[in-house]
Amino acid sequence: MLRLNRPKTATLIFSSGKMVCTGAKSEAEVRKAVGSIIKLLKQHGIEIKNEPIVEVQNIVASANLRVGVDLERAAFLLENAMYEPEQFPGLIYRMSEPKVVLLIFSSGKVVCTGAKKEEEVKEAVEKIYNILKERGVLLEEE
């Protein structure tokens, strides 16, 4: 594992030449980290024949809806939702388009995972806000 401070990332490097980079805050940071790693490998005598192909597999992002959410009612009214407060304090919502999973908490905080593009995160958060508003499960505005 190779850790960089700028951008703050951790990268697994495999003998196949594949790498898994985590911790970047944007696609631009991923590209910068990969560039730094390639440069470092070359400095240590490792031959790099081709330009790296950077492919985003999974974006994990957090958001704040800025309102509370009635998770009991939301679980009842939403398809593809799972809420078991004894097991986990958030509602798990599987959105089909974009294809992401949202963890929704009663505080209005949301974690979005599974997106492959930053735009998908924005779309998913806006969409879930509108769905929750339509269903009448949002609590007082902040």
Side-chain angles (χ1 to χ4, degrees), residues 37-130:
I37 291 166
I38 297 295
K39 185 177 175 184
L40 199 59
L41 292 173
K42 285 180 178 178
Q43 286 172 352
H44 285 83
I46 297 170
E47 185 182 338
I48 310 291
K49 294 178 182 170
N50 303 316
E51 279 297 307
I53 299 168
V54 177
E55 188 178 317
V56 176
Q57 295 289 326
N58 181 31
I59 295 173
V60 178
S62 60
N64 187 346
L65 301 177
R66 302 176 66 86
V67 291
V69 180
D70 182 339
L71 297 181
E72 290 283 344
R73 285 188 58 220
F76 181 74
L77 296 170
L78 294 174
E79 287 182 32
N80 302 319
M82 189 171 81
Y83 180 55
E84 295 179 25
E86 312 81 32
Q87 302 288 319
F88 182 70
L91 179 144
I92 301 166
Y93 180 71
R94 296 183 186 282
M95 188 176 279
S96 54
E97 194 52 47
K99 192 172 189 300
V100 298
V101 175
L102 298 165
L103 307 177
I104 305 166
F105 297 90
S106 60
S107 64
K109 299 275 173 58
V110 177
V111 174
C112 176
T113 183
K116 293 186 183 285
K117 295 181 178 148
E118 291 176 39
E119 306 84 61
E120 291 176 346
V121 173
K122 187 173 188 291
E123 180 186 343
V125 172
E126 287 174 358
K127 191 171 177 180
I128 195 60
Y129 177 84
N130 291 328

